Amino acid sequence: MIRESPFRPLCWLRGPHRQTLWPFLARHHPVPPGRPERLELPDGDFLDLYWVNEEGGGPPVLLLHGLEGSLRSHYAGPLLRALAGAGLTGLFMHFRGCSGEPNRLPRSYHSGETGDLDFVLRTMAARGRRIAAAVGF
């Protein structure tokens, strides 16, 4: 069953392109304070993670950025802040080559790559920090 959405964009934000570009061009959302972590991978490469509200937060929620995204993407700061405000721990995962520092190996990420995500999930579970949910862009 298809239901009509109650969402109605502002008259000057009609169309998907304007709605996509508006947050990027018109807003500045700094990343909340947190702790960076470099996670060493079994193949000799690394992933960069970023923890928010780690000490006082509840279960971790993993954020996965979009194509060529990073912690500096316009959606990262607001979502991490919202998670912390809800009493959760935010964990942002940079895919290979997206944290601002080149990776050691020539291998990069792509939309079908799930091995690194699996490694992060298994590592967090082994630390007793099972991921409660994941949000992807």
Side-chain angles (χ1 to χ4, degrees):
M1 168 184 264
I2 298 176
R3 295 181 188 202
E4 187 174 329
S5 170
F7 173 74
R8 299 289 178 256
L10 297 171
C11 63
W12 51 276
L13 278 180
R14 294 208 194 282
H17 299 298
R18 288 182 183 177
Q19 292 175 42
T20 300
L21 291 172
W22 172 253
F24 176 75
L25 296 173
R27 297 180 183 169
H28 175 68
H29 297 288
V31 175
R35 178 181 69 86
E37 176 184 357
R38 177 151 293 172
L39 186 62
E40 296 293 330
L41 299 172
D43 66 3
D45 215 338
F46 66 90
L47 294 176
D48 286 331
L49 308 174
Y50 189 77
W51 294 88
V52 172
N53 200 31
E54 186 177 11
E55 303 81 31
V61 175
L62 182 63
L63 275 61
L64 307 168
H65 62 78
L67 186 62
E68 293 303 316
S70 72
L71 190 58
R72 294 173 299 282
S73 295
H74 70 275
Y75 50 78
L79 187 48
L80 287 168
R81 192 169 278 104
L83 289 171
L88 298 167
T89 298
L91 175 57
F92 190 95
M93 174 185 155
H94 283 102
F95 291 105
R96 292 183 193 224
C98 295
S99 66
E101 183 175 331
N103 284 77
R104 299 177 193 129
L105 301 178
R107 178 181 167 198
S108 64
Y109 88 99
H110 57 82
S111 61
E113 203 317 301
T114 58
D116 291 344
L117 173 59
D118 181 63
F119 183 75
V120 168
L121 294 173
R122 290 176 187 273
T123 300
M124 295 307 128
R127 293 179 182 177
R129 304 284 324 255
R130 288 195 185 276
I131 302 299
V135 178
F137 292 88

